Structures are given as structure tokens and as C-alpha cells.
Amino acid sequence: MMDYTTTAEESCSLRSFRIRCPRSRKRAVRADREKRLIKLENERTKLWYIKYHEVVYVPLDPPIQRGFKRSFVLREDVARSAGAAFYQGILDKINTTLIQPDRFFLKKVRKNGKKKIPIPQYLLEPDTQRFLKLAFTEKEASLFYLGIPSNPRHRWDQEVWKFKEPWRFRLKIRPNFITEQRVENTAVEQRLQEIDQIQADPKIYGRMENLKGRKVRIWGSRKWPRPYRSRTTTRQWLMELEKELLF
């Protein structure tokens, strides 16, 4: 077996001749492999950003209807009043839209049950941080108050800003038309598939996660030891025990 360790004098002579020792060569190869993995991961991140944030849409002619959408609109008497524009400006900031395949907007009480109930829909109730981002005027902000969320699925330990006069709005159901179509970038999709195939290797994936500071344990095909089995059956063991007791 070859000894790869070097003494101080040998190391000095290796540096003078610019010759790497075997340990340094292995370390350089490992560092170069890790740099290529990091570069590959950075490329994958940029491609994912291009795929979902730099999307190109083309108009769809004719438009396609896909289900129905329900949103809030002004009531008829409010729309005819002098403050219609004021309340419409508030509605544009706190309106919500719900899309369903049919116009009934019902949901099952249980997954495998038959009973259905109407799907509730609420106005937007932002927290304080989002409320400030909506940039309400002083007059508009005076129509909001802090309270618990109307939606039971939201957190109850945080207060939200609720509209004081929700009766001014009503729900309206309209057909949901798709007017644009997304153009897929084939070059980006092909490159993402190539990177995914490379990172599908458990060793590469595990090393990449370790470089990110995450602990990954890859479960291999470990062969567990076979359980101990006696050469004698239970019946034979009982017979031998009975003989010992008799004698």
C-alpha cells in the first residue's frame, strides 16, 4: 500500500517545484466539483425565475370560458349615489374573487358525503402591514376598524382591519373567460429537465443540500442481519425439556 503522507522537507521541495501532493490534488478535485454543483444550482434558480416571472402572454382569440367567478360589486342604490366613486375606490382595494367550475358555489361538508353548503366569501381583511401598503386616504381609513378575522381559517391571535359598512357591496356571479395564453420557453424547459436529471442522483442531491447547510441522510440498501433461528423446532425443544425433567 502506497503512503501518501509527506514530511516537512518533502513538502518544501514539492512547493519549490510546484508539484502538488496527492492530498492537495484530491482536495482540488473535490473543490472543483463543488464549484460546478453550486454553479449548476445558481443556473437552475435563474431559470426558475425566468419561467415564472418573465412569462410572455399572447391574446387568445376567441376567449375560452372556464367556470364562473364571483366577486363583490356595488349595490344598485350605492352605485347611483353621489359617493359611488369613493366606495368603488375602496372596493378595488379590498375586493376578492372566487372561481368555481359551476355557478352554484357549493362545497361538500365531508369529503365522501353528499351534503353541500354554500361557500362563504369575505372582503379582504388585511393586517396592519398590508393595510399600510394599500395606501388608503384618511377618509377611507376612517371606515375601517381593528377586529378579529371573519374567516375562521385565519389566525385568531392577530387583529385585522375590517370594513365598517360591508352592506354597501353585494356578490355577483359572472362567466370566467380566459383571454390570454402563456407562451412556454422550450429552451428553458429543456435545460431545467437536464439539470433535474443531473441532480436526481442521490449522491449529488445530498452533497448539494450539505453545501446549503442542510443535513441529509441518504437511505441506501442496507442489509439487515437475519434473525437468529434455532436448529431445533419448538416441538423438539419441548421433548428435550420433558426428558430433562423426567431424569
Side-chain angles (χ1 to χ4, degrees), residues 9 44 79 113 120 126 135-137 150 180 189 203 205 227 231 243:
E9 296 179 357
R44 182 175 179 270
F136 288 104
T137 62
S150 301
E180 293 180 336
E189 292 288 343
K203 295 182 180 179
Y205 170 77
R231 293 186 179 182
K243 291 180 181 179

Side-chain angles (χ1 to χ4, degrees), residues 82-131:
F86 172 74
Y87 290 108
Q88 184 63 45
I90 296 176
L91 181 60
D92 293 340
K93 297 178 181 179
I94 62 173
N95 200 355
T96 57
T97 304
L98 184 63
I99 300 175
Q100 286 291 317
D102 52 31
R103 63 183 315 121
F104 302 108
F105 288 85
L106 300 174
K107 67 176 181 179
K108 289 185 177 181
V109 179
R110 295 181 178 84
K111 183 178 180 181
N112 298 326
K114 296 182 179 180
K115 185 180 178 180
K116 295 184 179 180
I117 58 175
I119 300 176
Q121 188 170 348
Y122 310 93
L123 291 168
L124 178 64
E125 297 174 349
D127 55 3
T128 303
Q129 183 178 4
R130 190 173 181 184
F131 184 79

Side-chain angles (χ1 to χ4, degrees), residues 70-76 78-79 83-97 121-126 130 134 136 140 143-144 163 165-172 174:
R70 187 177 67 180
S71 58
F72 290 92
V73 295
L74 293 177
R75 284 176 46 178
E76 288 77 3
V78 179
F86 172 74
Y87 290 108
Q88 184 63 45
I90 296 176
L91 181 60
D92 293 340
K93 297 178 181 179
I94 62 173
N95 200 355
T96 57
T97 304
Q121 188 170 348
Y122 310 93
L123 291 168
L124 178 64
E125 297 174 349
R130 190 173 181 184
L134 293 175
F136 288 104
E140 292 174 346
L143 295 177
F144 289 85
F163 188 59
E165 303 173 354
W167 55 267
R168 294 185 180 274
F169 312 129
R170 66 178 182 86
L171 289 171
K172 184 178 180 180
R174 289 169 289 185

Side-chain angles (χ1 to χ4, degrees), residues 46-222:
K46 292 179 181 178
L47 292 175
W48 272 98
Y49 182 86
I50 293 172
K51 180 179 178 180
Y52 290 103
H53 295 275
E54 298 180 4
V55 184
V56 180
Y57 292 93
V58 295
L60 192 62
D61 189 24
I64 300 174
Q65 180 184 356
R66 180 172 291 177
F68 295 84
K69 63 181 179 180
R70 187 177 67 180
S71 58
F72 290 92
V73 295
L74 293 177
R75 284 176 46 178
E76 288 77 3
D77 54 345
V78 179
R80 292 192 299 265
S81 64
F86 172 74
Y87 290 108
Q88 184 63 45
I90 296 176
L91 181 60
D92 293 340
K93 297 178 181 179
I94 62 173
N95 200 355
T96 57
T97 304
L98 184 63
I99 300 175
Q100 286 291 317
D102 52 31
R103 63 183 315 121
F104 302 108
F105 288 85
L106 300 174
K107 67 176 181 179
K108 289 185 177 181
V109 179
R110 295 181 178 84
K111 183 178 180 181
N112 298 326
K114 296 182 179 180
K115 185 180 178 180
K116 295 184 179 180
I117 58 175
I119 300 176
Q121 188 170 348
Y122 310 93
L123 291 168
L124 178 64
E125 297 174 349
D127 55 3
T128 303
Q129 183 178 4
R130 190 173 181 184
F131 184 79
L132 296 175
K133 289 183 179 180
L134 293 175
F136 288 104
T137 62
E138 186 176 354
K139 185 178 179 181
E140 292 174 346
S142 63
L143 295 177
F144 289 85
Y145 69 97
L146 278 172
I148 60 175
S150 301
N151 194 344
R153 292 190 175 184
H154 290 180
R155 294 184 299 175
W156 289 90
D157 59 342
Q158 182 179 7
E159 291 185 335
V160 295
W161 290 90
K162 304 176 67 175
F163 188 59
K164 293 180 180 179
E165 303 173 354
W167 55 267
R168 294 185 180 274
F169 312 129
R170 66 178 182 86
L171 289 171
K172 184 178 180 180
I173 300 174
R174 289 169 289 185
N176 181 37
F177 287 101
I178 300 175
T179 58
E180 293 180 336
Q181 183 180 9
R182 185 175 67 180
V183 180
E184 294 187 0
N185 194 336
T186 55
V188 172
E189 292 288 343
Q190 184 177 0
R191 182 55 182 163
L192 279 173
Q193 290 181 1
E194 294 175 358
I195 295 175
D196 289 340
Q197 289 178 359
I198 295 173
Q199 294 184 345
D201 189 352
K203 295 182 180 179
I204 294 178
Y205 170 77
R207 187 55 189 159
M208 195 67 244
E209 293 297 311
N210 291 334
L211 291 174
K212 293 179 183 178
R214 304 170 186 170
K215 293 183 179 180
V216 179
R217 183 176 180 182
I218 301 174
W219 296 91
S221 57
R222 179 178 177 181

